[in-house]
Amino acid sequence: MKILVSIKQVPESSNVKMDPITGTVIRAGVETVVNPLDLYAIETALRLKEKYGGEITAISMGPPAAMRVLKEAAAMGCDKCALLSDRDFGGSDTFATSYTLARGAGKLGPFDIIITGERATDGDTAQVGPGIAAWLDIPAITYVSKIEDIKGGRLFAERLVEEGYQMLEAPLPCLLTVVKEIAVPRLPTLKGKIRSRDLEIPVYSAGDLEVNRDYIGLKGSPTKVVKIETPTVTRKGKTLKVRDEESLKVAVDELMGLLAEKGIV
């Protein structure tokens, strides 16, 4: 079984900054980590390999610095890694990103299963995984919380929804996006870190992937950010301390007056 795991390098949550002109995330000079939700995708792939055998390839799109997150994936147990890196990929929205990753999957594949995290913590769209499946014309199961079995060329999975769980099946090849419930990510081992240090990771450019340049980078991104604003808290709170029945009555009257003023009651 051949498994592809798509992972992303993201800024630490406290360091996310946006370019007010382009509307894209500013990544230069910012401390980055593996997208935390992608760790669950890696763990899922590792458990599938342990149960069914096979080979795992981790792929990422980003600047050369993204090599670091692929090394971490290798240290956790991924067999191969590949980086899609080209200045022409810069500024990609979810449409362009999913297209580029799909081209990468086609270059490295074919694969039986592609696994991604539920979403990325910087964009928070949950669109790239299903987008990859759409470009590759394969079925996708999103928000997978458990993989029940793989047999007869079909995958059986439990999907987390608001009302509970759904039991679904899909023919291979297919794509899964996984949620935190699926597993607890393991830590890289010393042996894995030593191996990852010497692992050669190929880098593929736009030319290597033979992409349609109308679909990549900022130019190929149909999502256009018109304006970015940082929300500010303008509420001026009032504190009322209740010490006895009289102060309680005052506090209740104040609260009811405020609710009436806002048209809530």
Side-chain angles (χ1 to χ4, degrees), residues 18 41 44 49 72 108 125 148 157 173 175 201 240 252:
M18 303 294 292
T44 301
K49 178 185 174 181
E72 185 169 344
L108 299 169
T125 64
E148 293 285 354
L175 180 142
I201 299 178
L240 296 173
V252 172

Side-chain angles (χ1 to χ4, degrees), residues 69-161:
V69 300
L70 289 169
K71 291 283 188 178
E72 185 169 344
M76 289 178 68
C78 293
D79 301 292
K80 298 179 180 178
C81 297
L83 176 64
L84 313 182
S85 186
D86 193 311
R87 284 188 175 275
D88 290 344
F89 296 153
S92 295
D93 67 355
T94 55
F95 176 90
T97 298
S98 61
Y99 170 75
T100 305
L101 288 169
R103 296 297 298 175
K107 179 79 173 179
L108 299 169
F111 295 95
D112 299 296
I113 302 173
I114 300 175
I115 308 175
T116 75
E118 170 193 348
R119 54 189 168 80
T121 56
D122 57 352
D124 210 33
T125 64
Q127 295 174 352
V128 171
I132 296 172
W135 285 111
L136 294 175
D137 195 23
I138 61 175
I141 304 179
T142 56
Y143 306 108
V144 173
S145 57
K146 184 179 182 182
I147 297 175
E148 293 285 354
D149 200 3
I150 301 175
K151 59 183 178 182
R154 303 187 74 83
L155 182 144
F156 301 82
E158 181 181 85
R159 179 175 186 260
L160 178 66
V161 294

Side-chain angles (χ1 to χ4, degrees), residues 251-264:
V252 172
D253 289 343
E254 287 267 2
L255 176 60
M256 295 305 295
L258 177 63
L259 294 176
E261 180 185 331
K262 300 293 185 181
I264 298 174

Side-chain angles (χ1 to χ4, degrees), residues 41-86:
I42 296 173
E43 179 62 29
T44 301
L46 293 171
R47 295 192 181 197
L48 287 177
K49 178 185 174 181
E50 291 167 353
K51 184 174 181 179
Y52 300 101
E55 181 182 78
I56 303 170
T57 301
I59 188 173
S60 186
M61 185 184 93
M67 194 73 74
R68 176 171 166 266
V69 300
L70 289 169
K71 291 283 188 178
E72 185 169 344
M76 289 178 68
C78 293
D79 301 292
K80 298 179 180 178
C81 297
L83 176 64
L84 313 182
S85 186
D86 193 311

